[in-house]
């Protein structure tokens, strides 16, 4: 009887270990299938969760998917995604940004519901009688939470796309400015090189000019000068004949 009980205990222990491993693997798959821009999904938390809720949930899930405890080949990736989600939700600026999008999603869904209520008189009357209580209950429902989750995904995706387009434009503008700056540098460099080259040949040019002026003063005796044009009469041209000296 004792041997049977020990065998049963061993089988139970193995079974629980296998179940635990399956749960760990499932959690890894769940984390990696979450919408990447919504850290609340990674931690499996509602949008109204506090920072303490975030810390507690992170400790709980991180123990399940930690690479040292989970054999799933993507456990490290899931653990990293979980750590990033906690970091975002504990950062006031990042958290406020996400909650702003959540608020925008709620407003869109509320407007949509108001339009639906206009078509449904009974629901509209009930909503007025309950003085808003009916709407509050509805927003706590699973149906609304699913809609909200999808709407938040939609808005976060749109915002991320806008952010990336803006970053791309900024990058392109920075590239253009850098190119212009490099072109201006090249122009200034060439101008400086030209000025240095011109200054370097200054003595040579001055010397050549002096030689030219000296040669002009040494005209030989009896040399015929080139003819000059008289332009007193615009309709005629007069050529001065060469005059011999002596």
């Amino acid at each position: 009887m004792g041997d049977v009980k020990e065998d049963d205990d061993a089988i139970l222990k193995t079974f629980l270990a296998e179940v635990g491993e399956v749960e760990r693997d499932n959690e890894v798959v769940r984390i990696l299938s979450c919408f990447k821009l919504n850290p609340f999904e990674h931690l499996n938390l509602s949008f109204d969760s506090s920072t303490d809720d975030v810390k507690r949930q992170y400790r709980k899930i991180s123990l399940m998917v930690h690479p040292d405890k989970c054999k799933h080949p993507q456990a490290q990736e899931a653990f990293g995604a979980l750590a990033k989600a906690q970091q975002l939700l504990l950062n006031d600026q990042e958290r406020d940004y996400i909650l702003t999008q959540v608020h925008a999603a709620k407003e869109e869904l509320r407007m949509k519901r108001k339009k639906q209520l206009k078509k449904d008189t009974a629901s509209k009357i009930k909503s007025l009688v309950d003085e808003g209580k009916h709407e509050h209950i509805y927003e706590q429902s699973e149906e609304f939470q699913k809609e909200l989750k999808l709407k938040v995904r939609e808005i976060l995706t749109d915002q991320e796309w806008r952010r990336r387009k803006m970053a791309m434009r900024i990058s392109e503008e920075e590239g253009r400015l850098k190119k212009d700056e490099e072109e201006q540098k090249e122009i200034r460099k060439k101008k400086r090189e030209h000025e240095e080259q011109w200054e370097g040949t200054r003595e040579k040019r001055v010397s050549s000019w002096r030689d030219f002026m000296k040669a002009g003063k040494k005209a030989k005796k009896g040399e015929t000068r080139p003819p000059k044009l008289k332009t007193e009469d615009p309709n005629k041209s007069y050529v001065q004949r060469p005059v011999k000296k002596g």
Side-chain angles (χ1 to χ4, degrees), residues 6-199:
E6 288 178 4
D7 290 342
D8 289 344
D9 289 343
I11 292 171
L12 179 61
K13 186 177 180 180
T14 303
F15 173 73
L16 292 175
E18 290 175 353
V19 170
E21 195 61 40
V22 170
E23 289 178 347
R24 291 177 189 278
D25 289 350
N26 288 341
E27 191 61 21
V28 169
V29 173
R30 184 196 69 79
I31 293 170
L32 296 180
S33 64
C34 287
F35 180 59
K36 294 185 181 299
L37 301 177
N38 184 1
F40 284 101
E41 285 192 29
H42 289 83
L43 290 167
N44 201 18
L45 288 170
S46 60
F47 293 119
D48 57 356
S49 300
S50 66
T51 54
D52 288 336
D53 293 332
V54 171
K55 293 175 183 178
R56 281 194 296 268
Q57 188 76 340
Y58 172 74
R59 284 195 295 269
K60 176 183 174 183
I61 303 178
S62 63
L63 288 174
M64 292 186 67
V65 300
H66 195 285
D68 292 342
K69 297 180 180 293
C70 181
K71 297 178 182 179
H72 194 284
Q74 291 180 289
Q76 182 68 51
E77 185 180 348
F79 184 77
L82 203 65
K84 183 178 179 181
Q86 180 192 224
Q87 182 183 5
L88 288 172
L89 292 180
L90 293 182
N91 180 293
D92 291 340
Q93 186 175 354
E94 293 290 345
R95 184 186 180 89
D96 288 345
Y97 167 75
I98 295 169
L99 291 179
T100 298
Q101 311 315 317
V102 172
H103 178 72
K106 281 185 177 180
E107 288 301 312
E108 280 196 39
L109 292 178
R110 285 168 182 164
M111 291 298 295
K112 178 183 174 182
R113 181 155 174 81
K114 283 182 180 179
K115 290 180 180 179
Q116 290 174 341
L117 288 174
K118 287 182 180 180
K119 299 177 182 179
D120 187 350
T121 307
S123 296
K124 185 177 180 181
I125 293 172
K126 180 172 177 52
S127 177
L128 292 172
V129 170
D130 291 346
E131 296 179 352
K133 292 180 182 179
H134 177 71
E135 292 306 308
H136 177 72
I137 293 171
Y138 173 71
E139 290 186 6
Q140 298 299 319
S141 68
E142 185 177 349
E143 179 187 353
F144 180 82
Q145 291 302 317
K146 283 182 179 179
E147 282 191 76
L148 179 60
K149 186 177 179 179
L150 293 175
K151 179 57 68 173
V152 169
R153 286 186 180 188
E154 180 184 322
I155 291 177
L156 285 173
T157 300
D158 182 62
Q159 291 296 327
E160 178 65 11
W161 174 240
R162 291 172 183 271
R163 185 192 68 78
R164 291 188 183 186
K165 283 206 300 185
M166 181 60 68
M168 189 183 300
R169 288 177 183 174
I170 291 173
S171 178
E172 289 174 352
E173 181 64 15
E174 288 176 347
R176 187 186 66 79
L177 291 174
K178 186 177 180 181
K179 183 180 179 182
D180 289 347
E181 184 180 354
E182 289 175 352
E183 288 177 352
Q184 289 300 319
K185 282 183 179 179
E186 187 64 23
I187 291 172
R188 288 194 295 269
K189 180 183 176 183
K190 288 182 178 180
K191 183 178 179 182
R192 187 169 59 252
E193 289 175 350
H194 177 73
E195 289 174 349
E196 289 173 355
Q197 186 180 6
W198 178 260
E199 185 63 26

